[in-house]
Amino acid sequence: MQPAAVPTDRNSDIASAVVATMRQLGVLGLPRNYEIFYEALSGSNHELSLAVVSLSNRPTQEDLDHIGRTFFPQNHGPAIVEHAREMVAKELEDIAALLRSERTHIEKYGRILDETSSGLSNRSLLSQDLLQKIAGAMSVATSSTLDHNRQVAGTLSEKTAELESVKSKLEEYKRLADTDPLTQIWNRRAFDKEITRIYNSNRGILFNALILADIDRFKDINDRYGHPVGDRIIQIVAEIFQTSIRADMFVARTGGEEFALIVEGASEDATYQVAERIRVLIEQTPFTSSQTGMNYGTVTVSMGICMASEADSPEDLYTKADRALYRSKVSGRNRVTRHSTMAGRAGKGWLLYKKD
């Protein structure tokens, strides 16, 4: 698929290009389709752009919804859950019908046993011929019951496998809904849940800390080199975060060039050392194009730290770590600031704050 060229004049021209491209490809004008093409043509998500380019000249709605579920799972969640609910309801009804059938068959077999027992209790009527008939009837009934039980067991096994498949799909949806598609680390949705968890117990408050990080002068990077390069830099920074921390630490991309790291079981000094190590690694990492060899220069991050015990709630913890991050920005960038060391710990002037 070759999408229509994107005009250089940004928002309004991208919107026009989106409409033109969708019309050219015969794509229905649904909001979820518009979102896909807008993000792809704006260049804000390189992997999404590649997925759209790989579509046929007449993509089906199923193809588009697959892309939507992959890159925007939060918008497709209700449909996925509803479909899974319907599948589970159907499988449970099938299992209930199967068990009802099994109960009927067992009751029938029980009646045969009762009748046979009654016949054997009357010894005066027993004869070799009658015993042979009883044995034959019992053999047939037992064989039939065993066959039926095997069929039921096989069907139940199939239904169990189908239910496991539904469970697996729901777990995959949950993972996608909590994963940032560009970096494959946790996203803001997952972060909001994790930071809330801290304040569910006194232990969480005593033994957790929040580190917020923001790539310095990121707008300049995008303006100079373009969004695909900016996306790649975000991916590399995310990789550095993920590979330089313990497996039990939680790292998420919480915004365009913003990251959050929740550290558990460490003192403030140890938390500072974690942040400082990551800051230095990012500063020392060469950011070059593997295809052209072009050097994009040094990339740095500013960071802010706040211990959970210094805050009253998840929102307060985030605000205070963000204030420390802002102090790093205004103090020259490429540094780590602890909220506990800020004189007066006064809030920042929000109208003056502009992340770069």
Side-chain angles (χ1 to χ4, degrees):
M1 185 207 78
Q2 294 297 325
V6 181
T8 55
D9 189 19
R10 297 304 289 165
N11 293 340
S12 61
D13 289 337
I14 291 176
S16 299
V18 168
V19 173
T21 300
M22 290 173 63
R23 186 181 298 119
Q24 174 187 327
L25 298 173
V27 173
L28 293 174
L30 303 175
R32 64 180 188 271
N33 292 341
Y34 183 89
E35 179 182 37
I36 290 171
F37 282 90
Y38 185 90
E39 292 293 327
L41 295 178
S42 68
S44 61
N45 189 325
H46 184 57
E47 292 185 4
L48 171 60
S49 299
L50 291 177
V52 170
V53 168
S54 68
L55 290 170
S56 66
N57 288 330
R58 279 293 182 270
T60 65
Q61 189 59 49
E62 183 179 353
D63 293 335
L64 295 169
D65 285 342
H66 176 72
I67 291 177
R69 286 191 296 272
T70 300
F71 292 94
F72 310 105
Q74 67 278 10
N75 297 339
H76 292 257
I80 294 173
V81 173
E82 179 62 20
H83 178 65
R85 188 195 69 79
E86 292 174 356
M87 287 186 65
V88 170
K90 179 182 180 302
E91 297 300 338
L92 290 178
E93 176 55 34
D94 289 346
I95 291 173
L98 192 66
L99 293 177
R100 287 194 295 269
S101 171
E102 174 71 353
R103 177 182 175 182
T104 300
H105 199 87
I106 290 175
E107 289 175 347
K108 181 179 178 182
Y109 185 60
R111 286 196 298 271
I112 293 174
L113 290 178
D114 288 341
E115 292 170 0
T116 302
S117 176
S118 298
L120 290 173
S121 64
N122 193 343
R123 297 185 180 182
S124 61
L125 298 177
L126 288 179
S127 65
Q128 183 176 356
D129 183 54
L130 180 58
L131 287 173
Q132 288 177 341
K133 288 181 180 180
I134 291 174
M138 285 297 301
S139 176
V140 171
T142 302
S143 178
S144 174
T145 299
L146 291 175
D147 288 341
H148 183 77
N149 288 345
R150 280 192 288 267
Q151 291 174 6
V152 169
T155 304
L156 283 175
S157 178
E158 292 174 4
K159 296 298 179 184
T160 300
E162 290 167 2
L163 287 172
E164 283 295 329
S165 176
V166 173
K167 178 184 176 184
S168 177
K169 288 177 182 177
L170 284 175
E171 289 174 349
E172 176 65 9
Y173 157 68
K174 182 179 181 299
R175 186 191 67 78
L176 287 173
D178 287 342
T179 300
D180 174 54
L182 178 64
T183 62
Q184 297 304 302
I185 63 176
W186 299 113
N187 61 14
R188 182 57 187 255
R189 178 177 183 269
F191 168 73
D192 287 343
K193 291 189 292 186
E194 190 69 12
I195 195 174
T196 300
R197 182 190 62 79
I198 292 174
Y199 288 85
N200 288 340
S201 68
N202 290 332
R203 185 184 187 283
I205 296 172
L206 289 173
F207 295 101
N208 278 276
L210 175 63
I211 302 172
L212 294 183
D214 187 270
I215 301 176
D216 294 325
R217 304 189 188 280
F218 189 72
K219 184 178 183 300
D220 293 345
I221 295 172
N222 272 340
D223 290 345
R224 184 173 181 182
Y225 301 112
H227 287 283
V229 172
D231 285 350
R232 183 57 190 144
I233 286 174
I234 287 174
Q235 288 174 325
I236 294 172
V237 170
E239 289 170 8
I240 293 171
F241 266 97
Q242 198 166 30
T243 57
S244 58
I245 61 176
R246 300 194 315 258
D248 61 340
M249 291 184 184
F250 179 95
V251 62
R253 181 187 177 203
T254 55
E257 67 274 19
E258 301 164 5
F259 297 85
L261 177 61
I262 294 176
V263 180
E264 184 174 3
S267 66
E268 184 179 49
D269 287 342
T271 301
Y272 178 86
Q273 291 303 319
V274 170
E276 182 65 14
R277 184 176 70 254
I278 294 171
R279 183 196 66 77
V280 172
L281 282 171
I282 293 172
E283 182 183 21
Q284 294 177 346
T285 297
F287 288 82
T288 58
S289 170
S290 59
Q291 297 177 334
T292 65
M294 184 176 183
N295 190 330
Y296 301 118
T298 301
V299 174
T300 64
V301 295
S302 296
M303 295 184 172
I305 294 173
C306 184
M307 304 301 291
S309 56
E310 291 187 80
D312 299 324
S313 66
E315 295 79 12
D316 191 33
L317 176 60
Y318 186 90
T319 297
K320 288 177 176 176
D322 201 35
R323 288 174 184 164
L325 167 60
Y326 174 67
R327 178 63 59 87
S328 292
K329 288 284 189 183
V330 299
S331 299
R333 301 180 180 86
N334 189 27
R335 64 193 63 211
V336 181
T337 300
R338 312 182 197 203
H339 182 264
S340 63
T341 64
M342 292 169 57
R345 304 181 190 179
K348 65 192 177 190
W350 289 97
L351 295 179
L352 299 177
Y353 179 29
K354 182 180 180 183
K355 288 186 178 179
D356 49 28

